[in-house]
Amino acid sequence: MKKVLVLPGDGIGPEVVAETVRVLECLRDECGLAVEMEFGLIGGAAYDVHGQPLPEDTLKLAKEADAVLLGAVGGRQWETLPIALRPEKALLGLRAAMGVFANLRPAVLYPQLAGASTLRPEIVAGLDIMIVRELVGGIYFGEPRGVRTLKTGERQGFNTLVYSESEIERIAVRAFEIARTRAHRVCSVDKANVLEATELWRDVVTQVAARYPDVAISHMYVDNAAMQLVRAPKQFDVVVTTNMFGDILSDAAAMLTGSIGMLPSASLNESDRGLYEPIHGSAPDIAGKGIANPLATILSAAMMLRYSFHEPLLAARVEAAVSKVLDDGLRTADIQESGFPVVGTGAMGEAVVAALRATHS
Ligand code: NAD
């Protein structure tokens, strides 16, 4: 029996998570998925009840769970709190507690939505990239760091880019393993011509590549990778990179698809326990209106099935159900197109469940 901790969070989080829970319940009740769900508080919703965004109870449940499904956190009413109490702080605490070092960010453009991208359809149609970003190391965490005052009185900011061999090896292994389930290509992105830490990155990735002769490896400097992502993005299959480069490139790749409401993510630890969440935030501007797109969260649950529960067939069925509702012309407001009726969050979730049922019967 797999245990899922469900953390709806703030804003549209509870709305999109509710639809995803319906999908998981359908898989449990009708497709034999052995799963049990528990619910917890995080973010502003947790602060309002417990005075902190990541209560002990939530942390304990997260550590016991096989997977965590998260909506989103944040909202204007909590923006003036001290940083340590802000909803967004809970995300960092949760990632650290779960030890999730591999952030998987797919950028998939559904052919039905090719018109949503800012790039020409022939550049992006069929796009399917998986960015594997190192999540708990590199310059975001390196010490020493800070702002110091020099003898001249001028202030100087400094951070440290640091990676050890084992940190690079484990993320590279993840990327190669994932490539084996896809098109067998890994592009490692670094800045080895300037930064020694990423010279080591390139060395270690090359060593790991030798253990995967069936996967083609290439290396690219990050400036070129940024350019290639918008010039000819379909050349990429799996991209593996450092924390900061991955942060930037994955947002650029996401925008190639043009629809923030469609993109899921997974963050995995050594033993495949994971945190699954849409890449979007709590969207306070549309919260409570029942118009948010739940597909990014539903697709995050599909990633949960694939990466934490090792149920690739069920994952593919959820993805096929999403594709089916798009084929049927259902569109939420964010992916609205002329000629297609706009549906709300609940109707979209219901349609995915109906499509799942149809493939089961
Ligand atoms: P956002 O992603 O919440 O919203 C950006 C825009 O996209 C908004 O116009 C919103 O309406 C739209 N949008 C987002 N998700 C959508 C969906 N599923 N369907 C339809 N439209 C959608 O980013 P933001 O406005 O910069 O941030 C809002 C709050 O969310 C802030 O408090 C921020 O800190 C927080 N945030 C949280 C996370 C997270 O929980 N992982 C991530 C990013 C931002």
Side-chain angles (χ1 to χ4, degrees):
M1 178 69 75
K2 299 290 185 191
K3 268 193 191 175
V4 178
L5 174 63
V6 181
L7 300 174
D10 308 318
I12 61 169
E15 300 169 45
V16 293
V17 163
E19 299 312 315
T20 308
V21 166
R22 289 169 71 181
V23 168
L24 288 172
E25 284 170 349
C26 173
L27 293 171
R28 180 195 64 197
D29 298 342
E30 298 177 32
C31 309
L33 177 68
V35 67
E36 62 184 21
M37 289 179 258
E38 277 184 287
F39 292 78
L41 291 173
I42 194 166
Y47 174 81
D48 287 348
V49 176
H50 296 288
Q52 46 179 313
L54 185 59
E56 273 306 314
D57 271 5
T58 300
L59 258 185
K60 183 169 174 289
L61 289 173
K63 286 182 191 159
E64 289 164 4
D66 296 297
V68 175
L69 177 70
L70 176 77
V73 297
R76 291 187 196 112
Q77 61 271 50
W78 302 290
E79 273 171 11
T80 50
L81 288 172
I83 285 184
L85 295 178
R86 284 197 204 149
E88 292 79 1
K89 193 76 184 166
L91 291 180
L92 298 179
L94 188 59
R95 286 176 188 157
M98 294 180 70
V100 289
F101 68 89
N103 183 217
L104 278 45
R105 290 261 308 247
V108 173
L109 184 65
Y110 283 82
Q112 302 91 328
L113 302 179
S117 176
T118 46
L119 297 192
R120 290 198 307 277
E122 67 268 26
I123 305 282
V124 288
L127 184 78
D128 183 358
I129 304 176
M130 175 67 84
I131 296 194
V132 179
R133 165 191 170 194
E134 200 289 324
L135 196 60
V136 294
I139 198 163
Y140 289 179
F141 293 90
E143 297 283 350
R145 61 192 294 156
V147 178
R148 60 193 163 207
T149 304
L150 302 175
K151 281 188 187 132
T152 58
E154 187 185 14
R155 286 184 306 150
Q156 185 182 57
F158 58 100
N159 290 88
T160 305
L161 173 60
V162 54
Y163 270 116
S164 57
E165 287 180 294
S166 56
E167 283 178 297
I168 304 167
E169 185 184 357
R170 67 180 183 178
I171 191 79
V173 165
R174 255 312 156 183
F176 281 95
E177 291 291 338
I178 290 169
R180 276 189 166 162
T181 67
R182 298 171 44 101
H184 289 71
R185 286 184 286 122
V186 169
C187 177
S188 171
V189 172
D190 60 41
K191 191 71 184 169
N193 51 342
V194 177
L195 301 170
E196 286 83 353
T198 67
E199 206 181 342
L200 179 70
W201 177 282
R202 189 176 283 218
D203 260 12
V204 175
V205 172
T206 305
Q207 282 165 22
V208 173
R211 304 189 333 232
Y212 294 85
D214 54 321
V215 178
I217 174 73
S218 60
H219 301 272
M220 204 178 267
Y221 297 136
V222 64
D223 41 349
N224 186 25
M227 198 167 74
Q228 296 300 330
L229 261 182
V230 288
R231 192 188 73 84
K234 283 190 274 183
Q235 69 184 282
F236 296 108
D237 177 26
V238 174
V239 173
V240 62
T241 190
T242 64
N243 200 343
M244 183 163 75
F245 295 162
D247 189 6
I248 298 164
L249 293 180
S250 62
D251 268 21
M255 281 305 99
L256 296 176
T257 72
S259 45
I260 196 171
M262 293 293 303
L263 294 171
S265 79
S267 303
L268 302 174
N269 73 7
E270 299 273 10
S271 50
D272 289 345
R273 283 164 14 92
L275 172 62
Y276 297 86
E277 52 182 324
I279 70 155
H280 60 72
S282 57
D285 52 333
I286 58 167
K289 296 184 180 163
I291 60 172
N293 186 347
L295 295 181
T297 316
I298 290 173
L299 290 167
S300 301
M303 292 187 84
M304 177 190 294
L305 294 166
R306 179 169 285 118
Y307 294 108
S308 282
F309 299 171
H310 306 290
E311 295 275 7
L313 296 180
L314 287 183
R317 281 186 47 193
V318 173
E319 288 157 356
V322 167
S323 196
K324 168 84 168 56
V325 301
L326 295 175
D327 276 342
D328 290 347
L330 273 81
R331 300 284 186 273
T332 41
D334 56 309
I335 50 173
Q336 186 172 352
E337 273 177 87
S338 64
F340 293 96
V342 173
V343 299
T345 314
M348 187 59 111
E350 207 168 289
V352 173
V353 170
L356 258 183
R357 286 207 176 105
T359 58
H360 189 54
S361 54

